[in-house]
Amino acid sequence: MSSCFYCDRIQSADAAYTGRAAQYDLGSEAPRCAWHWRFICDCCGAAGHYMTRFFCPRAGQLFCGAAGSVEYRAAPFWDRHEAWFLRCPACGEEHASLDRAEFEGAHPWQMAPDARTERRWLSPEPYLQRYPPANVPTVRMETLSDADIDANWSRNADIWNATYDSQGDRTRKYFSDPVVFAFLGDVAGQDVLDAGCGAGYLARILAQRGARVVGVENARRFYELATAREASDALGIAYYHASISNMPFLADASFDAVVANFVLMDVLDYTTAVAEIARVLRPGGRFVFVITHTSTHGHWVAPAPDSPRREDRSGWLEDRYFVRDAGYSQWGALHPVLGFNRPFRDYIAACRAAGLALRDIEEPELSAQGRRELPPWDVREASRLAYNWVVRCEKAPATG
Ligand SMILES: C[S@@+](CC[C@H](N)C(=O)[O-])C[C@H]1O[C@@H](n2cnc3c(N)ncnc32)[C@H](O)[C@@H]1O
Ligand SMILES: [Zn+2]
Ligand SMILES: [Zn+2]
Ligand SMILES: [Zn+2]
């Protein structure tokens, strides 16, 4: 007889806790006892993971998070650091999620023994439904053009840009930008190309640091956002709506540095783009690029797939690492994003072929500022995986 996945975890933090046998989801990675199974909300009738349910002793009702407003905050107990708290729609008080409620002795089955006997609110389903993963829509690379990539990013540009401030988003501000600035070195008085500049937050930072900046962006809508910002608050940045795979308007050997910030994994013809970047660099010029980490492209997997806890995710599912293809990924509020799956080595090979020598590689960790400013659960999550690569290459210096 297997023991309950969650009882085992609690026991590991409190040897006095009496664990129970598992009765639900038997044979899975996380078989569970009744206390740690799924409960039905009195408000909407939906069954959900016990940590997503809240008991109101005054109303004698069990609610899901959708019944009121929920806060996730620090609340150390057993092996946990945080819990959820529902502002109760019935009594106006705050009730903790059932995991924390059990610790406090405020679980409905602790407060009302007859409810425990009747197993009130317990969901009768014996197993979690594990549907086969949705078919990932694949796209035939041969049929794509930069115009398709433009259409896809233009559709997302305003939603994307809404998550930015003057320092970009969290990933840029707390992980990659500190490394990008270190790899670029001093840019004051230099010609710098922001290849695939989006709405231009980085172009603006570089201009504020004294660089003469050119931004090239393939998506019409991003280009419009960048030029509108330049029109209202000028920093002398020249923007072009074009593909970095074809930049005839930029002269050979006219830049001291090129940066491609989270761009190459979204570029269709990345080898030609890297060759164009090498062409416009001066001898000895530097090319710094950031891409999403090629080993963390997949999806999180968790033994209890219905758990709301991020720390219950056991690992990151990476698959098809060496497959080179195009496909859509879905994140946040964005429409599906069209991008490319390629092994990391392909980008390094493209640089080498274009005469750009590899000088440095970094996998940014959360910065000290991030450790201070982000919530504890984000700090812990940041320590689990590398999310980006940052690479510095150099064009051979002039000889003779
Ligand atoms: C993840 S976004 C990053 C944007 C910006 N660098 C940033 O960090 O905010 C990827 C960008 O690459 C651009 N892109 C894709 N293919 C491109 C190409 N061939 N030439 C120029 N930009 C391209 C997209 O339009 C999009 O703006
Ligand atoms: Zn249990
Ligand atoms: Zn509900
Ligand atoms: Zn209540």
Coordinates of all heavy atoms in Angstrom, one line a residue, residues 55-61 91 93 95:
F55 N -12.0 27.1 3.4 CA -13.2 26.8 4.2 C -13.6 28.0 5.0 O -12.7 28.6 5.7 CB -12.9 25.6 5.1 CG -14.0 25.3 5.9 CD1 -15.3 24.9 5.4 CD2 -14.0 25.3 7.3 CE1 -16.4 24.6 6.2 CE2 -15.0 25.0 8.1 CZ -16.2 24.6 7.5
C56 N -14.9 28.4 4.9 CA -15.4 29.4 5.8 C -16.2 28.8 6.9 O -17.3 28.2 6.7 CB -16.4 30.3 5.0 SG -17.2 31.5 6.1
P57 N -15.6 28.8 8.1 CA -16.4 28.1 9.2 C -17.7 28.8 9.6 O -18.6 28.1 10.0 CB -15.4 28.3 10.4 CG -14.3 29.2 10.0 CD -14.4 29.4 8.5
R58 N -17.8 30.1 9.3 CA -19.0 30.8 9.7 C -20.2 30.4 8.7 O -21.3 30.1 9.2 CB -18.8 32.3 9.6 CG -19.6 33.0 10.7 CD -19.2 34.4 10.9 NE -17.9 34.6 11.3 CZ -17.3 35.9 11.5 NH1 -18.1 36.9 11.4 NH2 -16.1 36.0 11.9
A59 N -19.9 30.3 7.4 CA -20.9 29.9 6.5 C -21.0 28.4 6.3 O -21.9 27.9 5.8 CB -20.6 30.5 5.1
G60 N -20.0 27.7 6.8 CA -19.9 26.2 6.7 C -19.8 25.8 5.2 O -20.3 24.8 4.8
Q61 N -19.1 26.7 4.4 CA -19.0 26.4 3.0 C -17.5 26.4 2.6 O -16.7 27.0 3.2 CB -19.7 27.5 2.2 CG -21.2 27.4 2.3 CD -21.9 28.4 1.3 OE1 -21.7 29.6 1.3 NE2 -22.7 27.8 0.4
C91 N -18.2 35.9 4.6 CA -18.1 36.6 5.9 C -17.1 37.8 5.9 O -17.0 38.5 6.9 CB -17.7 35.6 7.0 SG -16.0 35.1 6.8
E93 N -14.0 37.7 6.2 CA -12.7 37.4 6.8 C -11.8 36.7 5.8 O -12.2 36.4 4.7 CB -13.0 36.4 8.0 CG -13.9 36.9 9.0 CD -13.2 37.8 10.1 OE1 -12.4 37.2 10.8 OE2 -13.5 39.0 10.1
H95 N -9.6 33.4 4.8 CA -9.4 32.0 5.1 C -8.2 31.4 4.3 O -8.0 31.7 3.2 CB -10.6 31.2 4.7 CG -11.9 31.7 5.3 ND1 -12.1 32.0 6.7 CD2 -13.1 32.2 4.7 CE1 -13.3 32.5 6.9 NE2 -13.9 32.6 5.7

